[in-house]
Amino acid sequence: MYYIGYDLGSSSVKVSIVDANTGANVMTLNEPTNEMEIVAPQQNWAEQDPNMWWHFVCVATKRAIKESNIDASKIEAIGISYQMHGLVVVDNAGEPLRNSIIWCDSRAVDIGDTAFNTLGEDRCMQKLLNSPGNFTASKLKWVRDNEPKIYSKIYKFMLPGDFIAMKLTGVINTTKNGLSEGMLWDYETDTVANWLLEHYDINTALTPDIVENFTAQSNVNGTGAKATGLPQGIPVTYRAGDQPNNALSLNVFNHGEVAATGGTSGVVYAVTNILKSNEPSRINHFAHVNYSKEKATLGKLLCINGAGIQYRWLKDNLASNSYEAMNQKAEVVPVGSEGVCVIPFGNGAERMFNNKIVGTHISNINLNTHSEGHLCRAALEGIAFSFVYGMDILKADNAEIKVIRAGNDNLFRSEIFSNTVATLIGHEIEIYNTTGAVGAARAAGLTDGDFKKFGDNITANDHVMTYKPLKNKVAYEAAYNNWKKELDNVLNK
């Protein structure tokens, strides 16, 4: 028997089929093979057609079934991961009324900021643990204010993963963790934050029914079965935003466990059981996949825009034509890069610096003694230092770090990067071969609530290696302190 999982990103739809007994990955692929279109009607806007997502879900599902050569009737359940914070609005026939306003669209920033100031920081932080910000609720307010004809036809709003579940089953519903991504969950009362919708003058009846994760949320209907090739009647049992789902994929469920991602941008997602924060904008808080009123488990998410994009920029603009070659040159350079320092924040406004545009800065180069290897090492160290800096912000805001888990890709494949982070944080970094789609597929079978067994299977299937903190960290601390001084100089200009 098998489970199937989807990871709906903004560039492609990934699908995985896993063995229901062992969790072993049978097949993973993505559609389209290039990238899905993002529409930008104005500067800083970003939209996608939800029916485009559904088209590629169908194409990818049929491909996966055919290429894995499995009997589709043996697929037992569905898990869905999806791009966070997007807004989908549909009519009473379930048809989208407009393109989805996706996660990287910033048109609602002022709406969220104004609500935060009007409602008050104390109320928002006590109830939402966040500012309303540029999230789903504020995007819905933008539609109400700017597209009243469309707003008047809305039957329900939903997150991107809710839309895919609806297309599969014909049923519209959502989850607590999904609502929390949109700043629509009140942690104090453990209910929908209707007071925020009312402040925005949004009809509270537009909120879908709420279902629990790891239960039969709805079942594939005839239309969904015909479009995808899946068996009619199988349940959708799990859905989550991509970052909480990434944490699930890495066996991160409990207080003190941290999931880290080191791609184009970096993410540190720390699980905590403390419902308190003093960071309304630098850190975001979401109900984790295993959140319940009895066990209020949160994910504290800190994003670092300037991460892997810095190293990619170096690759594209230096003589090196591969990351492996760059890493080899960096490895012969001592810790601290003999004074060369890279501040890697050249990918737009950085949330952990209160949305300041810091930029990338390269300093202290001696043209007589420093080489390409020094630049490569300084870049890896600078990105690692930014992760450590972010984790320090998390720790100052009630997060505890006991172990870090990361996927075996991008920055974490570099020993320099991973050793630097592990040594300065003083905790191990466990590396796993897994993906969001595989995690979602496995989570489809997590209906018994046995998270320990689920995590043990991840370790058995996916654990690659563990980076341990190096005993002699003096050089690393000196390099990090030098980097922070350079950062302070930049921030204080």
Side-chain angles (χ1 to χ4, degrees):
M1 306 306 288
Y2 306 97
Y3 302 129
I4 192 167
Y6 300 99
D7 186 8
L8 168 61
S10 49
S11 60
S12 69
V13 175
K14 298 179 180 66
V15 59
S16 292
I17 297 173
V18 303
D19 186 284
N21 292 321
T22 66
N25 183 19
V26 175
M27 162 66 68
T28 295
L29 54 78
N30 65 283
E31 283 285 346
T33 52
N34 45 10
E35 289 193 1
M36 293 191 294
E37 181 184 15
I38 296 178
V39 180
Q42 294 188 32
Q43 187 176 5
N44 299 319
W45 289 20
E47 300 182 353
Q48 287 186 316
D49 179 359
N51 281 323
M52 175 184 65
W53 302 335
W54 174 239
H55 168 73
F56 288 119
V57 165
C58 296
V59 173
T61 305
K62 290 176 178 177
R63 268 191 63 201
I65 292 170
K66 181 179 179 180
E67 294 179 22
S68 63
N69 198 31
I70 67 165
D71 181 351
S73 68
K74 294 185 177 180
I75 297 174
E76 293 186 308
I78 301 167
I80 301 171
S81 168
Y82 57 88
Q83 49 175 292
M84 299 173 74
H85 317 312
L87 170 69
V88 180
V89 290
V90 298
D91 61 19
N92 57 11
E95 283 300 313
L97 292 164
R98 67 174 329 280
N99 282 343
S100 170
I101 303 175
I102 65 172
W103 63 276
C104 51
D105 184 293
S106 58
R107 74 185 71 182
V109 169
D110 290 343
I111 291 172
D113 290 346
T114 300
F116 187 59
N117 292 329
T118 303
L119 294 166
E121 180 173 344
D122 289 346
R123 185 180 188 189
C124 290
M125 294 307 295
Q126 185 174 351
K127 289 179 166 291
L128 300 176
L129 302 179
N130 297 277
S131 163
N134 182 44
F135 295 106
T136 310
S138 300
K139 291 169 180 173
L140 183 56
K141 167 67 169 171
W142 184 93
V143 173
R144 184 198 177 284
D145 291 349
N146 294 275
E147 298 175 341
K149 290 184 178 179
I150 289 176
Y151 177 81
S152 68
K153 297 176 183 177
I154 296 175
Y155 173 62
K156 297 291 179 183
F157 69 84
M158 59 184 77
L159 283 297
D162 302 333
F163 178 78
I164 298 303
M166 180 203 71
K167 294 296 287 185
L168 286 164
T169 68
V171 177
I172 298 176
N173 52 37
T174 191
T175 61
K176 295 177 184 178
N177 44 293
L179 290 171
S180 78
E181 297 169 30
M183 298 305 113
L184 286 162
W185 193 251
D186 187 323
Y187 294 97
E188 189 176 55
T189 60
D190 201 51
T191 58
V192 180
N194 282 331
W195 54 273
L196 178 60
L197 290 173
E198 290 165 355
H199 173 78
Y200 281 160
D201 200 18
I202 291 169
N203 182 358
T204 58
L206 301 184
T207 305
D209 293 336
I210 300 171
V211 290
E212 297 290 335
N213 251 335
F214 312 114
T215 60
Q217 301 170 355
S218 53
N219 299 86
V220 173
N221 63 8
T223 303
K226 183 178 180 180
T228 60
L230 292 173
Q232 185 171 344
I234 64 169
V236 174
T237 53
Y238 165 81
R239 77 189 83 160
D242 50 13
Q243 292 304 328
N245 178 72
N246 179 60
L248 169 140
S249 305
L250 294 166
N251 185 26
V252 171
F253 293 106
N254 302 305
H255 179 83
E257 297 174 346
V258 177
T261 304
T264 300
S265 59
V267 172
V268 183
Y269 184 94
V271 173
T272 181
N273 56 19
I274 300 174
L275 275 68
K276 183 185 294 185
S277 174
N278 298 312
E279 295 285 359
S281 59
R282 296 201 295 176
I283 299 171
N284 297 124
H285 300 81
F286 309 113
H288 195 33
V289 296
N290 58 340
Y291 172 90
S292 67
K293 186 175 183 180
E294 296 72 30
K295 185 181 179 182
T297 309
L298 303 180
K300 298 173 74 76
L301 188 151
L302 183 137
C303 184
I304 304 163
N305 283 350
I309 192 172
Q310 169 71 58
Y311 209 45
R312 185 180 73 196
W313 184 90
L314 272 183
K315 180 177 72 68
D316 293 343
N317 289 278
L318 293 178
S320 296
N321 58 9
S322 73
Y323 293 120
E324 290 76 13
M326 293 169 66
N327 291 344
Q328 288 173 5
K329 292 175 182 178
E331 285 167 1
V332 300
V333 175
V335 175
S337 306
E338 296 186 325
V340 179
C341 187
V342 172
I343 305 297
F345 304 113
N347 191 28
E350 285 289 349
R351 194 180 302 167
M352 72 176 178
F353 298 119
N354 292 307
N355 292 316
K356 184 173 182 178
I357 297 177
V358 179
T360 285
H361 302 260
I362 303 173
S363 59
N364 304 329
I365 292 178
N366 185 313
L367 300 177
N368 297 307
T369 60
H370 292 143
S371 66
E372 184 180 343
H374 289 85
L375 267 179
C376 293
R377 177 152 198 137
L380 285 171
E381 288 182 334
I383 302 165
F385 295 153
S386 71
F387 271 71
V388 175
Y389 192 92
M391 290 183 197
D392 286 342
I393 293 173
L394 286 167
K395 288 191 289 186
D397 193 49
N398 302 308
E400 185 177 0
I401 298 175
K402 297 178 180 177
V403 65
I404 303 166
R405 299 189 175 111
N408 186 31
D409 56 7
N410 300 320
L411 290 168
F412 284 96
R413 299 185 74 159
S414 163
E415 287 191 15
I416 291 173
F417 175 82
S418 295
N419 281 332
T420 300
V421 175
T423 301
L424 288 171
I425 292 295
H427 294 286
E428 296 181 350
I429 301 178
E430 299 175 1
I431 305 297
Y432 293 83
N433 265 335
T434 189
T435 69
V438 169
R442 290 172 176 167
L446 189 50
T447 53
D448 61 0
D450 192 341
F451 293 99
K452 183 180 185 307
K453 178 183 175 183
F454 183 86
D456 289 343
N457 282 338
I458 290 174
T459 301
N461 279 297
D462 304 330
H463 183 249
V464 177
M465 63 175 296
T466 298
Y467 290 99
K468 297 181 181 294
L470 302 178
K471 292 181 180 179
N472 187 355
K473 62 180 182 178
V474 174
Y476 289 89
E477 289 178 332
Y480 182 44
N481 288 331
N482 179 60
W483 181 87
K484 286 194 290 185
K485 289 178 183 177
E486 294 289 341
L487 176 62
D488 287 342
N489 290 337
V490 170
L491 294 175
N492 293 327
K493 280 185 178 178

